[in-house]
Structures are given as structure tokens and as C-alpha cells.
């Protein structure tokens, strides 16, 4: 895995300059993970929690649309409100993030999988989802040949669920899993991929607990609010199964992400210990 850890500028201007304009630019789809148990939030529906007057799910959808995703798949309960998105459920429910990613990929148009494309994988627990995705996009533009780009926080924790992956690489990794995706650990899925880590600059702070939610709401009161992305008023489609960063601006190659996993994942909840 490579590290691209500068606390870089983001936003529309920076991204317009960073995105490749030649044939290396690839289409993008999005798989949003919204099906966890939220055990540390007393079982509350985490995607429907509000920060700054918007749900965490709507912020994730907005981030995917701003990134230019052709199709946005939300993996979670069918009752979720996801305008303009395809809603699917992993099998079995609460089968973990790898199972959710597999369900999301299966829901994408199979005709599109033959051409080189990327997939944004995004957990629906990020109050700063649009800013986080801006960073991943900028990193991907500079490392188009890699298997993917993911965020890493200031403590060195790799955020595999805030990432852009090459669709072909992700499909191959899923097919190589022993025992299939149900309950599989993210580190087993991405361990063999050539990934680039991009410093999150604080944008990867997620909501796992009630104090996390209070802090996120306080931050939202202190910063300007982004409007929704254009075209955010489509109908929901439902389908069945299917801060400041102190790190340096250097690129170094390794082959695997930070290993924070001690077992298997049994929930699409994106609490820190369940991200691996």
C-alpha cells in the first residue's frame, strides 16, 4: 500500500484540477453501507440520525452524487429513504461489511462491469462525508493505476470503508475469499490489493456513540452548510437480494492496510472495531 498523506486542499476547484482528463479517467459507481446494528447507539438507525439538519444517509448519498457516481446503491433495510438510489440488502442481514459490498456490487448493472470502472465504498456514518470523498477523489486522480485509494486517520487507522476501488480488483478479491463474504473481515478482502492511503484531515471522524453524535452536531453548528448535490430528488428504487494532519507528504509502497482486525465481521455497522 502507498501512503499519500499530505493535508491537501479539497473542494470543487482543487478537484477539478486533480481529476484526470485523459483516457485514464474511469466511470464511478457507489456502494453505501447503511445496514449495521449500531449497538453502541442502543440500536438506533444510524443512517437516519441527523447532523446539521440532514441525515447521515443523505450526506453519504450527496457525497456520492458530487463524486459523479452513475449508480448509487444503498445496502441496508428496505425502509430507508434513499431518493434516486437502488436499495438492496446483504444476505444474510447483518452479514458484515464484506457481505454488504458484495450485495452492492451484485446490484450494479452487469453490463458495465466489463469496462474499467471504479466503485466508491462509503459507510453511512460520516458527518463530513462530502469532504471525506473529496479527499479520496483527489487521491484517486493522482494514483489511477492503483487498485484503490482509501483514507487513513491521524492515528494511522486505515478506513477501508471510505475508499474508491477499481471494480475489477474488488470483484477478483471477493471471488478469492475463502468461505465467501458472509462474516468475512475487510482486511482479508483488501489485504492483497495495491491501495494508496490518503490522510483524512479529520474528515473521517465517524458516529459510533452518542457522544460522537453530539460532537458532530457541535461541529456542524460551527461550519457552513453545503447544499444538496444537483439531481437529489429522484425516487427510491428497492431491489431484492442481489483537522489538521501532522503526517508528511510522502508516498511509500506496501502491500496491505493497517491490520486492526482480530476476527471476523458480523455486522455492517461501521464502528471502529468493525471497520476491519
Amino acid at each position: 500500500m502507498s501512503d499519500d498523506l499530505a493535508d491537501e486542499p479539497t473542494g470543487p476547484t482543487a478537484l477539478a484540477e486533480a481529476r484526470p482528463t485523459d483516457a485514464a479517467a474511469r466511470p464511478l459507481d457507489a456502494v453505501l453501507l447503511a445496514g449495521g446494528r449500531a449497538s453502541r447507539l442502543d440500536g438506533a438507525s444510524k443512517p437516519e440520525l441527523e447532523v446539521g439538519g440532514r441525515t447521515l444517509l443523505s450526506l453519504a448519498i450527496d457525497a456520492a452524487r458530487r463524486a459523479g457516481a452513475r449508480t448509487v446503491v444503498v445496502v441496508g433495510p428496505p425502509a430507508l429513504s434513499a431518493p434516486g438510489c437502488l436499495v438492496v440488502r446483504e444476505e444474510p442481514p447483518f452479514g458484515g461489511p464484506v457481505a454488504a459490498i458484495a450485495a452492492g456490487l451484485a446490484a450494479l448493472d452487469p453490463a458495465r462491469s466489463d469496462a474499467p470502472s471504479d466503485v466508491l465504498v462509503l459507510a453511512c456514518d460520516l458527518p463530513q462525508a462530502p469532504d471525506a470523498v473529496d479527499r479520496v477523489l483527489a487521491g484517486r486522480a493522482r494514483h489511477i493505476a492503483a487498485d484503490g485509494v482509501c483514507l487513513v486517520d491521524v492515528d494511522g487507522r486505515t478506513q477501508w470503508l471510505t475508499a474508491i476501488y477499481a471494480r475489477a480488483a474488488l470483484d477478483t478479491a471477493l471471488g478469492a475469499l475463502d468461505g465467501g463474504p458472509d462474516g468475512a473481515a475487510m482486511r482479508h478482502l483488501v489485504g492483497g490489493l495495491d491501495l494508496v492511503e490518503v490522510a483524512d484531515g479529520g474528515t473521517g471522524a465517524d458516529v459510533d456513540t452518542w457522544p460522537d453524535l453530539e460532537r458532530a452536531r457541535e461541529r456542524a453548528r460551527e461550519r457552513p452548510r453545503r447544499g444538496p448535490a444537483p439531481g437529489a430528488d429522484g425516487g427510491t428504487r428497492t431491489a431484492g437480494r442481489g483537522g489538521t494532519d501532522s503526517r508528511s507528504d510522502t508516498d511509500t509502497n506496501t502491500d496491505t492496510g493497517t491490520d486492526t482486525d482480530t476476527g471476523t465481521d458480523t455486522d455492517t455497522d461501521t464502528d471502529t472495531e468493525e471497520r476491519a
Side-chain angles (χ1 to χ4, degrees), residues 4-10 135 199-202 243-249:
D4 190 7
L5 301 177
D7 192 9
E8 63 203 46
T10 56
R135 286 178 171 268
D200 73 357
T244 299
D245 200 310
S246 60
R247 306 185 72 141
S248 61
D249 184 12

Side-chain angles (χ1 to χ4, degrees), residues 16-241:
E17 294 172 352
R19 288 194 182 103
T21 57
D22 58 16
R26 289 190 288 200
L28 180 73
D29 295 303
V31 173
L32 310 184
L33 310 187
R37 297 181 192 273
S39 56
R40 290 194 281 170
L41 285 161
D42 304 316
S45 176
K46 188 188 292 190
E48 295 177 299
L49 296 175
E50 291 192 3
V51 174
R54 302 183 63 192
T55 66
L56 294 177
L57 176 56
S58 71
L59 288 167
I61 293 172
D62 187 50
R65 288 206 175 100
R66 289 178 183 276
R70 302 174 298 180
T71 302
V72 180
V73 180
V74 176
V75 185
L80 287 174
S81 176
C85 302
L86 180 64
V87 180
V88 302
R89 193 63 160 136
E90 76 276 19
E91 288 289 342
F94 307 116
V98 177
I101 290 169
L105 292 180
L108 294 173
D109 185 351
R112 290 176 168 177
S113 63
D114 294 335
S117 63
D118 283 341
V119 177
L120 168 67
V121 173
L122 186 63
C124 293
D125 64 353
L126 298 177
Q128 300 177 72
D131 293 335
V133 172
D134 280 356
R135 286 178 171 268
V136 177
L137 278 172
R140 184 57 167 160
R142 293 194 304 275
H143 299 280
I144 197 68
D147 290 332
V149 174
C150 59
L151 291 189
V152 60
D153 69 18
V154 69
D155 295 319
R157 290 186 292 263
T158 306
Q159 308 299 314
W160 289 310
L161 303 185
T162 309
I164 293 176
Y165 298 97
R167 169 73 187 271
L170 208 50
D171 282 339
T172 299
L174 280 167
L177 282 174
D178 290 333
D182 179 24
M186 276 300 297
R187 68 182 175 93
H188 292 154
L189 176 65
V190 304
L193 301 184
D194 172 27
L195 300 180
V196 175
E197 293 181 345
V198 176
D200 73 357
T203 64
D206 57 0
V207 172
D208 293 332
T209 65
W210 295 116
D212 289 343
L213 182 61
E214 253 337 285
R215 284 190 290 270
R217 287 172 171 171
E218 183 61 32
R219 284 194 300 267
R221 286 190 287 268
E222 294 172 354
R223 60 182 299 183
R225 177 180 170 182
R226 284 194 184 197
D233 56 353
T236 300
R237 294 177 290 154
T238 303
R241 191 172 167 184

